[in-house]
Amino acid sequence: MLTIAGQTFSNRLLTGTGKFKDHKEMKEAIEQSGSEIVTVALRRVDLRGNDQYILNDIPEGVQLMPNTSGARTAEEAVRIARLSRASGMGNWVKIEVISDQTYLLPDNEETIKATRILVEEGFVVLPYMSPDLMAAKRMEEAGASAVMPLGSPIGSNRGIRMKEMISIIMEQIDVPIIVDAGIGKPSEASEAMEMGADAVLVNTAIATAASPVDMAKAFDLAVKAGRIAYESGLGATSKSANASSPLTGFLTT
Amino acid sequence: MLTIAGQTFSNRLLTGTGKFKDHKEMKEAIEQSGSEIVTVALRRVDLRGNDQYILNDIPEGVQLMPNTSGARTAEEAVRIARLSRASGMGNWVKIEVISDQTYLLPDNEETIKATRILVEEGFVVLPYMSPDLMAAKRMEEAGASAVMPLGSPIGSNRGIRMKEMISIIMEQIDVPIIVDAGIGKPSEASEAMEMGADAVLVNTAIATAASPVDMAKAFDLAVKAGRIAYESGLGATSKSANASSPLTGFLTT
Amino acid sequence: MLTIAGQTFSNRLLTGTGKFKDHKEMKEAIEQSGSEIVTVALRRVDLRGNDQYILNDIPEGVQLMPNTSGARTAEEAVRIARLSRASGMGNWVKIEVISDQTYLLPDNEETIKATRILVEEGFVVLPYMSPDLMAAKRMEEAGASAVMPLGSPIGSNRGIRMKEMISIIMEQIDVPIIVDAGIGKPSEASEAMEMGADAVLVNTAIATAASPVDMAKAFDLAVKAGRIAYESGLGATSKSANASSPLTGFLTT
Amino acid sequence: MLTIAGQTFSNRLLTGTGKFKDHKEMKEAIEQSGSEIVTVALRRVDLRGNDQYILNDIPEGVQLMPNTSGARTAEEAVRIARLSRASGMGNWVKIEVISDQTYLLPDNEETIKATRILVEEGFVVLPYMSPDLMAAKRMEEAGASAVMPLGSPIGSNRGIRMKEMISIIMEQIDVPIIVDAGIGKPSEASEAMEMGADAVLVNTAIATAASPVDMAKAFDLAVKAGRIAYESGLGATSKSANASSPLTGFLTT
């Protein structure tokens, strides 16, 4: 079971709500994914709650994790988080502070600042981050409930390119690690789990697939496969071969 | 559905029977894997059918694929195949011809010869091979029902190291491609399926896991995930980022 | 020509002075490397200048770049830099601030602070950093004369594992990029240069080779090869083949 | 020194003559590359030896290695080799037998046949091959003076994608290994040499560079760097860091 801020979850695939064709497709994809935690950009939420109110189409029982996308500074992220809570969307927040407009890479320094403030204010804080050990340590010290290092730039579908640093973070940090951004294929989600990730967050790879609903299912299976493998103890690799069948002398002995 | 020699199968994970602690563990692992095709070294079969008769512990309804492990030449492989059929083990055969004792790499030339002979004799022939396009073409021309290129040396758990050539074979060959040998992790099985493999065969990675039965389940899920992804149309990768959430001006507009 | 802080250099391989068997070997290796910039840990310098004075054995005309290794905070780095300048070792300083004792990963936040202070005080500042775009931008804004992202942990000889982020930094930052730490083979130094690095710093891979003096020469050649390739315009890669010789119909037309 | 068929060579970069803009550029590039062995497609040779006679523009003292490009069978390769020798081009021959027109992959079986015949007839035979251990063993047994496994498809500039099998061939075969085809960057040539290749052959990456003459020089340096590194004993890699400078307690002790 995955435990974040005292809550337990049995599914380790988190999904996003962006880029789907419509709410119907989004809802079906989330259902197929088995996700128990879903992120939504507050900007996308019509705070007057009209017909197009996105929250109507998030399956019941799912933990909402509003994100601060659009924030370029700690201050802006803090304001968005407060607005989110005031709007009745709960006290979870995924901090995204981004000023780089080409690669959409998070600003760790501002993210750490926002984490400190929002933890103080009682939020459950999950910072999205550029993989760096010392920044992850500061977020953990500031009270983050998990850290969310990126695998590669958002929406690039390039997989876990920052593997070296993510592995080090997994080894050195105690709070859950959720690999977020860049995962483009189920095999990459499995790999993150085999490496020891506690969960992964996938959005673009599902929402932009030819069939998002089927792809959501594929990611669900892949995350489960990777987690079981991690828990079942992967075998050792070796340079040379090891026969799985007896190889010599069948006919001659 | 996977079709080999006119038979259809819904599961795309093939398993082997070597290296398990005992028959009970083997049987449970095969069941968890969902495999509908299982390979067994004829050498391991006690042809007198006594208590330790391995075939007693292969789940019912599973297609048996005896292999010729131990053969060092085409001639030896042919003799083993005939013995297998004469023993009532059916007409499927996975050809393994190996004389290299360090990396246990198959001998394509001898394998092609054995394929020609056994197809003539009415066998359903699935040759294990060193990934090479021209050899795969000759096996296909000889009437092989599938080709089984290795990902990396048997039992090495090193993954799909011969990706370049396997991808080319997938593109240029019409019979099913089953990636065999070297797959050490569920993520690697998913990846083979995403690349377009029709199936994968896994033995060592399951049998030598700390918990083989759980690992069999993990591979089943991973193969399904990879196949769905292949069929659902993976999204494109890009060098730069693509926002999944709206990113600018949330508070300022 | 490489230009750092207004000085020009024709060689793009920087070397370190640690881990050599003795000063003689170090001196010969530096000479063979062709390096015009050499880093030395101030701690290793006997400030009384006795017989073992390391600076006696650094070839003449080489730009000295004292580093702050041993510093765990910005404050400590600043004190070491001042001590270095006061000891007559010039005004260049490579900032290393490291508190993680397992992977020896630099602390970007403290490094940025030290950069700001030392640039103010007139130093030529080259910060060693964990690859992260926003941190590199802050170092550039603070007046760093170059940024030195690590390829992989110091002394690990694991190569350029942080390629994704280093490429982005190269594209988005104007000051020279010197890839530092982790480069274990000449091919990896070439690759860094082909990617667009302005220079690389190598220490462990040279000093711990069976023959450090020869290995220094190998890295010199590799860096030159990679730089020429970068400047000469690498050809495009393609998925399929492109004949370099005419392939069809030689005998039949 | 590289020894092939009793002849020694000090340079380990072989080049091809295809795809250059004109003979002048080809000649200068070969000179800059330092190559002592150069391959040329017999088809390209005007056997009447007129003004455009390519051999006029190959630097003196260079060992000519005519290739059989255009051959689709062993028989065609044998005829081209005989024609080459009869035309006064010497007794070296690089066998290329290719019938696959998409990836231009060599046909190992036909290549082995041609090797046997041409060795019998007194040629110095260097077969171009698809990397496969058993095929390399047969070529060696047939009397090949070297084997030339491809890194990736001809002209693709994709690098050494068949690393796994090429490493095994290097370990198990005694005649020189020349990595041929696919090498697109100097770093990849260095890497082949570090792995233990005896030489590399590069054509497309030089001839299609923006500046072929400079690129030829870059490959020369890279091959030298990789070879020195191989001979000088590369240091071990490690998962964690190893300080190259003293790291603790500088100011506090």
Side-chain angles (χ1 to χ4, degrees), chain D residues 35-48:
Chain D
S35 292
E36 296 169 24
I37 303 174
V38 165
T39 190
V40 59
L42 190 62
R43 170 98 198 254
R44 190 169 285 129
V45 180
D46 180 330
L47 297 173
R48 289 159 304 187

Side-chain angles (χ1 to χ4, degrees), chain B residues 209-230:
Chain B
S211 170
V213 176
D214 292 331
M215 193 61 88
K217 183 68 190 166
F219 274 97
D220 178 36
L221 298 174
V223 168
K224 285 183 165 68
R227 183 64 188 183
I228 296 173
Y230 176 74

Side-chain angles (χ1 to χ4, degrees), chain A residues 79-133:
Chain A
R79 286 166 62 195
I80 295 173
R82 288 174 184 156
L83 182 57
S84 167
R85 186 162 63 178
S87 307
M89 295 176 69
N91 69 337
W92 281 47
V93 63
K94 174 184 168 193
I95 304 182
E96 288 188 31
V97 180
I98 293 172
S99 57
D100 156 49
Q101 294 306 316
T102 308
Y103 292 99
L104 305 177
L105 295 171
D107 184 330
N108 286 347
E109 192 174 314
E110 291 292 306
T111 301
I112 294 165
K113 275 188 219 166
T115 300
R116 287 190 183 122
I117 295 168
L118 292 168
V119 168
E120 279 292 308
E121 298 186 3
F123 282 89
V124 170
V125 180
L126 301 97
Y128 172 57
M129 71 174 305
S130 178
D132 175 59
L133 177 60

